Amino acid sequence: MTSSLDRHAHIAKLRSHRLPVPDAEVQEVLAELDDSGLLAEIEPLVHAPTGRRRKLAVQALLLGMCLAAARNTGTVTLTSVANTLFFTLSDQAREQLGIPRYPDHSQGFEAAYGVVRRLFHRIVKAVDPSPLPKNHRIDRDLVARLLSEADPDELARKRSIMLRIANLILAMSLRDAHVLLEGRWNGSAALDATVIGTYAKGLSSNSPVTASDPEAGWYIRTAKHKDPLVTDGPAQDRVKKRLFGYDACLVVARDPDHDGAPLPDGSADPDVVPSLVVAFSLDKPSHRPAEVALEALRHVDARYPRGYLAGDRLYPDQKPHKFQLPIRALGYQPVYDYAKDQLGVQAQFAGAELIEGNWYCPSMPQPLKDATKDLVDKKIDKQTWINRIRQRTTHLFMPKQRTDAEGHRRMMCPAEANRVQCPLKTYTLGRGIHLPLIDPAPSPVGPPTACAQRTITIPPEAGAQLWQPLQYGTEDWQRVYFRLRNAIEGMNGFGKDPLYERLEYGGTRRIRGIAAQAILLAFQLAHANKRKLTTWAGSIALNGHRPHRRPTRRRKTKPLGSWTPEGYLTEPSK
């Protein structure tokens, strides 16, 4: 039998096997922190002119959180931060940061942990946009009273600071990729809300008390969420997924002009930067989706360009003044797919008709107007739909001038653009039999403005909810929309990998409250970015040498132009 003395010796040996942190890594992280702007943002929040001197600086705490995230696939726990700072740094590094020494036993560790915990919760309290206490269940009447007594302006200010700090943490992961993004990314991005769990247990909505994480809520996915073309019937009510937590609205950068396929030698293309999370926001599931999306977009680095912005069918359903017009003011051009009740003619302006996001001649044949509706209703086959989408191009209103600073744009009808011949504009007749002849319907009040004038000026408010610059269903639209949507779906799956960041699992963020969740999630997203960049860089053949690893194998996909709202054609179109 092993003696007690031998057993203690073995345990002491195991405890001594902590991996020390190299000084070079410490200095590298400190340099990143200095460049990030985090210290300038956080220090004023916790500065106290009176009282006892803090035993740990903000710089040291952030260093410990960065090191802990790097060693634990993005997961930051305060115990790992305390262990890293007080027991794995060299004496020189601790002296440089002013970290006190504690003995390596239970009482010493608890003292070190208390120092870390107090400073972290002090930061969280300073940026918490909720007046509700955490870690225990609260009576609903008390919740109502606390919310009514809170200052909404102060809560909004704290939320703004919370998101700014979280996005500064995320931006640290893009430090080495910034030059690549500036030179090889056109500013296009995808937007999506992905659910992340919380460590608290969710309660029923009619419960007399709240959960111990009172800002979280239930995420419920039904069949309608999976297939928004389902608009009625019992199928839409089937629950596919239920999770108590938050919605993280991610902005993922992706250049849709490049497909990211491996080069002929099998290595990754160095000119195609992988999809990366460049900003995010956090809130209750399905709570203020438009406002939360705009919060995330406003935290995209101002140095980056602005391009196309793709979102799922949730976003065309928002109020224009809350989402569509603000994103255009930010410089983005929306790219949408549509639900069943958003197909066909949805708006008119000066006679022009908005059909699936684009302005068309009012005399366009009805079968072309109803092409997508007929496909969804199974009145036509997929090849017929593709042919009609291509025929729509002839009847499209074309830009006459660039959009002005206020979003107004001068447009000309297809007859003025030399695409068709129109009897209402006799000077367009006789241009050749290759141009279709428009057959306008007679009207007792005369032709609409678009048919009586050479051009019309379309304001940004006209059809703003569903408008998009690319013609719906065309190969250009498919290229942009699907590459952007694939980018964010791929990033969601990448970050939720159970072997790495496990974003969806609440056990990786065990501190309750939206402020703590936002900060801890930022470290996980930053780790996912760094992991993806490392994988990409390792797949590139530098200076003619073989790459360190093979790039991700690509499945064969159907060619652009063969997609329909219900899938792909059996045979590619010719």
Side-chain angles (χ1 to χ4, degrees), residues 452-468:
Q453 297 180 178
R454 287 183 176 270
T455 61
I456 58 173
T457 299
I458 299 182
E461 296 86 359
Q465 181 176 353
L466 303 177
W467 175 85
Q468 60 177 318

Side-chain angles (χ1 to χ4, degrees), residues 359-432:
W359 294 104
Y360 291 96
C361 172
S363 300
M364 182 170 70
Q366 196 65 35
L368 301 187
K369 295 181 181 181
D370 295 337
T372 308
K373 291 174 63 176
D374 289 345
L375 176 69
V376 172
D377 293 337
K378 303 186 184 303
K379 295 180 179 179
I380 59 174
D381 60 21
K382 297 176 180 179
Q383 185 60 61
T384 303
W385 177 81
I386 288 181
N387 294 338
R388 290 183 180 180
I389 289 295
R390 291 172 177 166
Q391 293 169 26
R392 280 182 178 180
T393 305
T394 302
H395 304 272
L396 189 67
F397 269 65
M398 302 299 293
K400 178 72 172 178
Q401 298 173 345
R402 292 180 179 272
T403 305
D404 65 19
E406 296 180 350
H408 296 76
R409 193 168 199 179
R410 204 76 180 153
M411 305 286 287
M412 53 185 174
C413 76
E416 293 289 345
N418 201 30
R419 289 171 174 260
V420 298
Q421 303 177 72
C422 180
L424 297 177
K425 296 182 177 180
T426 55
Y427 52 87
T428 67
L429 300 176
R431 290 176 175 175

Side-chain angles (χ1 to χ4, degrees), residues 131-200:
L132 305 180
K134 283 72 176 171
N135 296 315
H136 59 273
R137 297 172 179 178
I138 319 166
D139 185 81
R140 298 283 183 182
D141 293 335
L142 177 59
V143 169
R145 181 170 64 82
L146 292 174
L147 291 175
S148 65
E149 293 174 353
D151 182 358
D153 293 335
E154 177 64 11
L155 297 182
R157 183 188 70 83
K158 287 187 174 183
R159 179 175 175 84
S160 177
I161 299 174
M162 176 193 77
L163 293 176
R164 189 157 63 246
I165 289 174
N167 279 279
L168 286 175
I169 294 170
L170 175 64
M172 291 175 62
S173 65
L174 304 174
R175 183 172 180 251
D176 293 335
H178 178 66
V179 174
L180 297 172
L181 288 172
E182 277 195 318
R184 290 172 173 80
W185 175 44
N186 67 355
S188 295
L191 190 71
D192 194 20
T194 184
V195 63
I196 64 164
T198 182
Y199 200 54

